[in-house]
Amino acid sequence: MQDMTISEVLTDPLIGELLRADKVSHASFAQLLEDAANGGANRPATDSRCSQRQSLARQSDEQQSAA
């Protein structure tokens, strides 16, 4: 099995359902994939996008705890 391209990942129906369930936009997921492909996954936590993702993850955790 070959790895999927970013285009294939973004058009995959199952991944689309997961993104909707997790309330993640295709645009932000595409940016995350591009950043990772360009070595951006190693950026420090002070990066505004990383901080935003951390904030969203905390909010999601809080909502799940409240439920």
Side-chain angles (χ1 to χ4, degrees), residues 20 24 37 63:
R20 276 188 284 285
V24 176
Q63 288 173 351

Side-chain angles (χ1 to χ4, degrees), residues 22-40:
D22 289 338
K23 296 179 176 59
V24 176
S25 73
H26 272 82
S28 64
F29 186 60
Q31 186 63 54
L32 176 70
L33 293 176
E34 288 290 339
D35 287 348
N38 293 323

Side-chain angles (χ1 to χ4, degrees), residues 13-56:
L14 182 57
I15 291 174
E17 288 298 317
L18 292 170
L19 292 174
R20 276 188 284 285
D22 289 338
K23 296 179 176 59
V24 176
S25 73
H26 272 82
S28 64
F29 186 60
Q31 186 63 54
L32 176 70
L33 293 176
E34 288 290 339
D35 287 348
N38 293 323
N42 296 322
R43 290 184 183 164
T46 56
D47 182 294
S48 64
R49 285 175 289 188
C50 184
S51 297
Q52 183 181 21
R53 284 191 289 269
Q54 289 171 342
S55 176
L56 291 172

